[in-house]
């Protein structure tokens, strides 16, 4: 997602979720989009595109073939150069409502194609539409691929699907394929404010014009699909009257206009991908390298939306576990939730081995704190930072380059930081509630870890209980001995019972006598007896 796209999304956020979907009763029948569009993008950039829109025809202007040719100069076709061994081809399914999982899948396919030297990527499309922000990111991802991209409309490329299709180098239709109906509406299916609709349309038309400069009719056709006030007429043939949205069938899309004749939109009508490649490259000049969705990408579809919530709950549980004597159920669930949230992005193809290793390192550091160096705090701090860095890294968008290097998407990194900030805020709110209400509650008593040191039951301060049934806590002035170093957290023994404790300053070594100064949340506060 480019900076202009990001800013445009921010501007439209107050409108609520947007989507590209069917609007009105005059469009060709097609499935109703099932997922709301996320906010569309940027106001400042609209001012730039508004100026360029002056060069466009008015909303009710008739488009003749000669005028269209002036708007988009058509270059002579470049002779096909067949690589040695033929073209390697990926076929990527783009199915169902457009959303983040489809973006993850497309990115993985394009990156794999770059790394493996695949020359052609075909999008086998059947979609009713979806989120506008994701659509624009998918269009930009296609622009990162230097090979040839082709859309095969295998039934439907409605609304958002039509924008993705026009971002590819060629569009082929199945005999019953349909494409169009691309007006932006709110997430509830209602109309957008008129002035905002003009801004959105102006920006989207500019994006389409940039991507369609070598196609005579593509920009005007897409405008007819998104703008009901636009009239499209070529060579005296009224293709779309005012007041409707254009939805093309395969036959209509393949009809030729102008001199020299060129198809309106479709490069051809084919039954399947094999026929498409045979028509385009010739028999024996291509090899389809299978690209299948993994179970992990299906996993990502379900969990990507709730990752920040899972991370915050998991961190809260880990912090609670650190404040209790032994590792137990809460800590295990917390680590599991963070792992699930982390892997939901890693499995979607947005992370490599490096963030996974960093995540494992963070878990190891936390384990060192829990099992070997309780109270030191440094390992757990470094561990949490490592896990946070690994999660953000896994969400970042890193693209390989043909020379073996890589580039990092600044916008995807900002999205990752935003998700991390959401998780941090939720964690802070949860901690405040825990510190206020949890100590001494029956729920806490039920789930806290209970163990023994040398056969003596431990008790959690401020509302803890023991297996022996003891519920009273030492009063200020009670004396005992350190059984696990305090720096500042550790364990003390008082009257044969062990308690979690912390010292106010410095550290206190095992075996030293201490005196209870006060009771704090999750621990007794002690100081050396000789002080």
């Amino acid at each position: 997602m480019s900076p202009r796209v990001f800013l445009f999304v921010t501007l439209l956020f107050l409108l609520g979720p947007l989507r590209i979907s069917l609007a009105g009763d005059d469009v060709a029948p097609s499935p109703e989009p099932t997922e709301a569009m996320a906010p569309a993008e940027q106001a400042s950039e609209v001012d730039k595109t508004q100026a360029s829109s002056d060069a466009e025809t008015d909303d009710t202007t008739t488009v003749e073939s000669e005028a269209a040719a002036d708007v988009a100069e058509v270059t002579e076709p470049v002779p096909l150069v067949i690589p040695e061994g033929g073209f390697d081809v990926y076929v990527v399914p783009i199915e169902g409502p457009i959303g983040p999982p489809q973006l993850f899948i497309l990115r993985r396919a394009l990156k794999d194609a770059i790394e493996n030297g695949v020359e052609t990527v075909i999008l086998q499309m059947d979609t009713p539409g979806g989120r506008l922000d994701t659509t624009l990111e998918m269009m930009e991802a296609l622009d990162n691929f230097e090979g040839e991209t082709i859309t095969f409309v295998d039934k439907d490329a409605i609304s958002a699907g039509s924008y993705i299709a026009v971002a590819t180098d060629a569009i082929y239709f199945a005999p019953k394929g349909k494409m169009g109906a691309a007006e932006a509406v709110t997430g509830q299916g209602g109309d957008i404010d008129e002035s905002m609709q003009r801004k959105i349309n102006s920006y989207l038309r500019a994006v389409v014009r940039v991507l369609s400069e070598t196609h005579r009719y593509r920009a005007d056709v897409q405008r007819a699909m998104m703008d009901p006030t636009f009239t499209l007429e070529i060579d005296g043939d009224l293709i779309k009257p005012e007041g409707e949205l254009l939805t093309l069938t395969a036959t209509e899309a393949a009809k030729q206009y102008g001199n020299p004749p060129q198809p309106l939109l479709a490069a051809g009508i084919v039954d399947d991908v094999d026929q498409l490649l045979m028509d385009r490259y010739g028999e024996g000049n291509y090899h389809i390298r299978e690209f299948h969705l993994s179970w992990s990408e299906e996993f990502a579809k379900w969990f990507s939306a709730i990752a920040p919530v899972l991370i915050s709950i998991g961190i809260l549980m880990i912090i609670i576990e650190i404040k209790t004597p032994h590792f137990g159920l809460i800590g295990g669930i917390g680590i599991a939730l963070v792992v699930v949230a982390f892997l939901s992005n890693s499995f979607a193809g947005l992370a490599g081995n490096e963030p996974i290793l960093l995540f494992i390192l963070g878990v190891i550091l936390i384990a060192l704190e829990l099992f070997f160096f309780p109270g030191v705090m440094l390992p757990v701090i470094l561990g949490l930072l490592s896990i946070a860095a690994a999660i953000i890294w896994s969400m970042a968008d890193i693209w390989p380059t043909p020379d073996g290097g890589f580039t990092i998407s600044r916008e995807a990194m900002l999205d990752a930081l935003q998700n991390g900030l959401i998780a941090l805020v939720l964690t802070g709110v949860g901690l405040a509630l825990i510190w206020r209400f949890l100590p001494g509650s029956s729920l806490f008593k039920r789930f806290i870890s209970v163990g023994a040191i040398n056969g003596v039951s431990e008790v959690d301060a401020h509302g803890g209980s023991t297996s022996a049934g003891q519920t009273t806590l030492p009063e200020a002035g009670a004396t005992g001995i350190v059984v696990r170093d305090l720096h500042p957290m550790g364990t003390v023994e008082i009257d044969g019972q062990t308690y979690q404790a912390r010292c106010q300053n410095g550290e206190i070594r095992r075996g030293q006598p201490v005196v209870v100064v006060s009771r704090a949340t999750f621990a007794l506060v002690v100081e050396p007896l000789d002080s």
Side-chain angles (χ1 to χ4, degrees), residues 205-279:
R205 289 201 302 268
V207 171
V208 172
R209 288 198 307 275
V210 169
L211 297 172
S212 305
E213 290 179 346
T214 58
H215 300 272
R216 182 184 297 173
Y217 303 117
R218 188 177 288 190
D220 290 316
V221 169
Q222 186 64 24
R223 183 178 181 185
M225 292 178 177
M226 62 181 288
D227 186 355
T229 66
F230 181 66
T231 299
L232 180 61
E233 182 177 338
I234 303 176
D235 294 346
D237 186 0
L238 181 62
I239 298 171
K240 187 202 82 81
E242 184 179 358
E244 300 179 6
L245 292 176
L246 178 64
T247 299
L248 292 174
T249 65
T251 302
E252 293 166 343
K255 186 175 180 180
Q256 298 204 359
Y257 296 89
N259 185 22
Q262 284 200 353
L264 183 65
L265 186 65
I269 301 175
V270 295
D271 292 325
D272 51 36
V273 170
D274 277 320
Q275 185 182 346
L276 185 161
L277 291 169
M278 189 175 299
D279 288 353

Side-chain angles (χ1 to χ4, degrees), residues 308-309 311-312 315 388 391-392 395 413-429:
V309 177
I311 293 169
S312 64
I315 292 175
I391 292 171
I392 292 174
M395 294 178 182
M413 182 64 73
L414 290 176
D415 288 343
L417 291 173
Q418 180 182 16
N419 283 338
L421 181 61
I422 292 173
L424 184 62
V425 170
L426 292 175
T427 301
V429 172

Side-chain angles (χ1 to χ4, degrees), residues 302-333:
W302 291 97
F303 285 95
S304 61
I306 61 172
V309 177
L310 294 179
I311 293 169
S312 64
I313 295 174
I315 292 175
L316 286 173
M317 289 185 167
I318 292 172
I319 292 175
I320 292 173
E321 191 61 54
I322 291 171
K323 303 301 293 183
T324 57
H326 274 203
F327 186 82
L329 178 63
I330 291 181
I333 295 176

Side-chain angles (χ1 to χ4, degrees), residues 348-488:
L350 300 180
N353 293 330
E354 294 83 0
I356 294 175
L357 294 175
L358 186 60
F359 180 85
I360 294 173
L361 176 62
V363 173
I364 292 174
L365 289 171
I366 292 175
L368 289 175
E369 166 73 25
L370 292 175
F371 298 112
F372 300 102
F373 307 104
V376 175
M377 298 304 295
L378 180 60
V380 75
I381 292 173
L382 294 177
L384 291 174
L385 288 176
S386 297
I387 290 174
I391 292 171
I392 292 174
W393 192 348
S394 76
M395 294 178 182
D397 187 18
I398 302 174
W399 281 87
T401 57
D403 59 4
F406 66 91
T407 59
I408 300 176
S409 169
R410 176 175 175 271
E411 291 71 36
M413 182 64 73
L414 290 176
D415 288 343
L417 291 173
Q418 180 182 16
N419 283 338
L421 181 61
I422 292 173
L424 184 62
V425 170
L426 292 175
T427 301
V429 172
L431 280 176
L433 295 175
I434 288 172
W435 253 252
R436 175 66 179 85
F437 299 108
L438 189 59
S441 68
S442 59
L443 179 64
F444 184 64
K445 292 178 182 179
R446 184 177 303 172
F447 286 103
I448 58 173
S449 301
V450 178
I453 296 180
N454 295 328
V456 180
S457 299
E458 292 184 331
V459 64
D460 290 292
H462 241 128
S465 62
T466 70
S467 57
Q470 179 179 346
T471 58
T472 60
L473 297 171
E475 300 290 342
T479 60
I481 190 170
V482 176
V483 296
R484 185 176 295 173
D485 293 350
L486 276 62
H487 36 68

